[in-house]
Structures are given as C-alpha cells and as structure tokens.
Amino acid sequence: MTIDRRAAILAAAADLIREKGVAAVRTRDVTARAGVGIGLLNHYFKWNELRALAAAQALWAEIDRVVPDAPAPDRQLDVFLSRAFGEDADPLWRLWIEVTDLAMSDPDMARAAEGCAEGMVNELAAILEQGAAGHLWHCPVPHAAALRILAFHDGLVGFVLTGLPKVERADAAAHLKRFVALELGLPQQNDHVPSRLV
Amino acid sequence: MTIDRRAAILAAAADLIREKGVAAVRTRDVTARAGVGIGLLNHYFKWNELRALAAAQALWAEIDRVVPDAPAPDRQLDVFLSRAFGEDADPLWRLWIEVTDLAMSDPDMARAAEGCAEGMVNELAAILEQGAAGHLWHCPVPHAAALRILAFHDGLVGFVLTGLPKVERADAAAHLKRFVALELGLPQQNDHVPSRLV
DNA sequence: CGCTATGTTGAGCAGATGCTCAATATGGAA
DNA sequence: TTCCATATTGAGCATCTGCTCAACATAGCG
C-alpha cells in the first residue's frame, strides 16, 4: 500500500493556505510542498475543489488553535472576549475574510466553508446556553445571540484588520465586551469601556 | 484641447467595477469601454493605482445611490434601517467586501478606500448627533456609536451576502433595528423583532 | 510649410498558471 | 516471472494579462 498521497496533497495545500493566504497559493506550490508531481494534483482534484477543501481545513485548524477549551462557560466566554482581537487570532480572521470574499463567487468555497461558519455560531451558542442554564447570565435564544455577537465581532475585526475605518484593537475589544454584557444582561464593568467610547 | 481621455479611462474603469466587481475587470475591458488604445491606460496610470481610484469612485457612486437625503435625522435613520439589507444595496456591499479584502494586501486600495470608510462613519455619526441634539434619542458619543452600528451592520451584511452563516435578510434587519434601538435608548418595537430572535 | 512636443496606438513581449497526456514506475495477481 | 491495472511524473500546451515601445497622429508655433 502506498502512502496516501491524496491526503498529503490536501494537507500541503492547507498548510500553505495558513501560511500565505488562499489567493497566494498555486498548484505548483502545493505539489512541491507535498513532494509529488504536478500531474498528481490534477489526477485527484480540480484546483477549485482542492482549494476550497484546503481552505476549510485551514480554517478549522486556525479555529482549534485560537479557541481552546475552558472548564466553565463563563471562563470560555472570558477567553473568547480576551482573544477576540489579539494578534494571535489575526491569521484566523484574515483567512476568514478571504474565504467569505471568495465564497461570493466560488460555489465550492461557499460549500466548504458552510460547516466552519455554522460551527462557530453553534460553539458560541452552546457556551451561551450553558451559562444561561447555570444562571450566570440571561440568554433566551442562544443561537440568535451568538449570531449577533459574531456579527458584531466580524464587523469590528474587519475594521481592525483593514483599517477601513481605522479602529484600535483595544477599542474594538472594549466595544465587544460592552455589547456582550448588554446582550447577556451582565453589569457593565466601566474600567473596560473608556468614556470616550460610550 | 483634446477630450480628457484620462478622466474617460477612470470613469470607464469605475463603471465596469460597478457592473462586474473589482476582481473581474481587466485593463483591456477598460480601454475598450473608454474607446481608447491599450497603451493610453499605461501612459496615464499604473494598473493598481487606476483600479484603486476607480474602486473608490465606484464605492462613492453606490453610496450616493443607496443613501439619499432625508429631511430630519429620525427619517434619515429610518431610511438607513429600512434599506440596510435591501437587495438594492447589494452591489454596494458586495463592492465593499471586495474592496476591504483587497485593501489587506494592496496599499493603493487601502489608501483609496480610506475616505469612503471614514465618510460612511461620519455621515452616520452626524445623523446620530443631530438626533441627540434634537432629543430624539440619547447618544453621548456619536462617532463611537456610529462605528458600532456600522460594525454590526457590516458583520450581518457579510452573513447575508455570503451565507456564512446563513441569515435571512428580514432577520438581519430585525437584529439591526434592535441593536440601534438599544444603542440609542429607544423603546423596542416588538413587531419588528420576532421572539424567535431574542 | 516645417518643426517640435505631446497625445495615442496596438502588435507583441514576458511572465504566470491551471491542466493535459504520453511515458514511466509500481505492486499485486496468476 | 509475466502481465495488467493503477499510480505517478513533468515537459509542454493554451490561455490570460499587465505592460512596452516603435510607430503614427495631432496641434500649436514661428
């Protein structure tokens, strides 16, 4: 039995996408990294398919790297909020922006990224639901609340990463914390939200 | 004095970008539309510069088309909210997503789009400030509030247009209305926000 | 008219890139 | 060992695309 070179090609593509972004990766880069001939890539994949599968795999890998487990829902939420605009998470969100942009015109990409998007919402919704069940906060419709929080976060992340418009990371984090507190009926912690922002 | 063919090239590029998106437009498309030779484009511009200038011009044109004037700030806000997720506005937001994505790796694009981004924030901030001055609502820091509202809107628009994750236009509009009402201390209008969402 | 400066043209260049396909290697069955 | 199906290779093809540059057109001036 030979090594599974199909999987090697997919893994190489995902690695390269994490390193250079989706748009910058070429078929030749992938086959070189995987240590196989150019022809083999086209034997197993069409480039659009491979790129979409690899991008989704890269997204999951970044999500796993950025969103670690925590014991209790309130700790999980703290971790989410404190890492939301950290530079550690930049690769994830750069990739996310690129993938969603491509998904507008590439059906393969749209299909492949579907699971990631739903996964992110569901993961946050689960945290919110657990916290609500444990009376840590109030959250009648966790899925909808998760959607809102992620939408706000997504928008702010775009601002921070593109500078359109220019927003400081710390300000973005403060905005998000304030929104989440509002959303969950938690008391505002004014040390986190400078009066210049609200 | 000859016709200003430089302006014709820029205008043709902007038109094509509005029709097909930034990524789909080629130098040859632009010169053909402008009715000039290929060489003239390169005489007056570098392609990256032209693309960035034209994209910014296209953005402004879409903004002007989607955001008309209204007499009073509360009417302006109503118009903003009711059009925020209308299909009329799709071209604007598709373009916006593409431009911000490109701005991450293209300094020309980032510089050209800067004004658009600041303009959108300032325009909304002005509305919020006027409304606050007229005691229509409460808004201590209009610029920060405008930033938050646009960030939330941007995030939701991305969800609606890419389907990552899938969100209905009507739900997105309801979420945004609720967010704005919360932000401005307005009473919630429950007919606009189904209980399924909150 | 001749002369010069500026405006304009488009065939063709150079480089990039996904993909083909004839040739070759490999592994297992008979 | 022989044979065949499958795996694998990479030079080369076809296409695309921004840009060059030698040639040509035009307008203003003396």
Side-chain angles (χ1 to χ4, degrees):
Chain A
M1 184 192 86
T2 59
I3 308 162
D4 190 348
R5 280 145 121 85
R6 187 183 185 281
I9 291 170
L10 182 53
D15 281 354
L16 283 166
I17 284 173
R18 290 180 70 185
E19 291 171 20
K20 315 202 299 175
V22 183
V25 175
R26 313 288 166 214
T27 54
R28 282 165 178 77
D29 301 336
V30 173
T31 54
R33 174 70 65 98
V36 302
I38 300 168
L40 203 58
L41 184 150
N42 300 285
H43 177 68
Y44 285 124
F45 303 96
K46 284 170 191 169
W47 178 230
N48 266 7
E49 290 171 12
L50 173 58
R51 207 176 49 166
L53 292 173
Q57 191 169 305
L59 267 179
W60 280 119
E62 286 296 332
I63 291 172
D64 285 347
R65 194 180 58 80
V66 170
V67 185
D69 283 298
D74 52 344
R75 281 296 306 143
Q76 290 180 299
L77 192 64
D78 278 350
V79 170
F80 170 74
L81 289 176
S82 63
R83 301 203 176 181
F85 298 95
E87 296 182 14
D88 277 1
D90 282 5
L92 168 57
W93 298 117
R94 281 184 196 282
L95 194 52
W96 177 249
I97 290 173
E98 221 186 344
V99 164
T100 52
D101 180 42
L102 285 172
M104 287 198 305
S105 60
D106 178 348
D108 289 323
M109 189 63 74
R111 205 169 322 113
E114 222 171 89
C116 289
E118 304 293 347
M120 286 195 287
V121 179
N122 292 335
E123 223 162 297
L124 180 55
I127 294 174
L128 297 181
E129 189 160 24
Q130 287 170 38
H135 301 287
L136 297 171
W137 51 65
H138 186 66
C139 186
V141 190
H143 189 271
L147 205 73
R148 288 191 291 268
I149 291 169
L150 285 179
F152 190 49
H153 177 250
D154 242 43
L156 284 173
V157 160
F159 292 176
V160 169
L161 288 184
T162 65
L164 300 172
K166 180 87 181 145
V167 177
E168 299 298 328
R169 286 172 191 272
D171 290 352
H175 285 310
L176 183 62
K177 275 184 180 146
R178 175 177 168 279
F179 177 67
V180 169
L182 226 63
E183 184 71 51
L184 300 179
L186 296 173
Q188 291 291 337
Q189 301 177 318
N190 285 328
D191 56 323
H192 288 146
V193 187
S195 64
R196 151 179 65 90
L197 300 182
V198 58
Chain B
M1 185 192 86
T2 61
I3 309 160
D4 190 350
R5 282 147 120 86
R6 187 183 184 279
I9 291 171
L10 182 54
D15 281 354
L16 283 166
I17 284 174
R18 291 180 71 183
E19 291 171 20
K20 316 201 299 175
V22 183
V25 176
R26 312 290 166 212
T27 54
R28 280 164 178 77
D29 301 335
V30 174
T31 54
R33 174 69 65 97
V36 301
I38 300 169
L40 204 58
L41 185 150
N42 299 285
H43 178 69
Y44 286 123
F45 304 94
K46 282 169 193 172
W47 177 230
N48 268 5
E49 290 171 13
L50 172 58
R51 207 177 50 168
L53 292 173
Q57 190 169 306
L59 267 178
W60 280 118
E62 285 297 333
I63 292 172
D64 284 347
R65 195 180 58 79
V66 170
V67 184
D69 282 299
D74 53 342
R75 282 295 306 142
Q76 290 180 300
L77 192 64
D78 279 350
V79 170
F80 170 74
L81 289 175
S82 63
R83 301 203 176 180
F85 298 95
E87 297 183 12
D88 277 0
D90 282 5
L92 168 57
W93 298 117
R94 280 184 197 285
L95 194 52
W96 177 249
I97 289 173
E98 221 186 342
V99 165
T100 52
D101 180 42
L102 286 172
M104 285 199 305
S105 59
D106 178 348
D108 289 323
M109 190 63 73
R111 205 168 321 114
E114 220 170 273
C116 289
E118 304 292 346
M120 285 196 288
V121 178
N122 291 335
E123 224 163 296
L124 180 54
I127 294 174
L128 297 182
E129 188 161 22
Q130 287 169 39
H135 301 287
L136 296 170
W137 51 64
H138 185 67
C139 186
V141 189
H143 189 273
L147 205 74
R148 288 192 291 267
I149 291 170
L150 285 179
F152 190 58
H153 176 251
D154 242 43
L156 283 173
V157 160
F159 292 175
V160 168
L161 288 183
T162 66
L164 300 173
K166 180 88 180 146
V167 177
E168 298 299 327
R169 285 171 192 274
D171 290 352
H175 283 309
L176 182 62
K177 277 184 179 143
R178 176 176 167 281
F179 184 88
V180 169
L182 225 61
E183 183 71 49
L184 301 179
L186 296 173
Q188 291 290 337
Q189 301 177 320
N190 285 326
D191 56 321
H192 288 147
V193 187
S195 63
R196 150 180 65 90
L197 299 183
V198 56

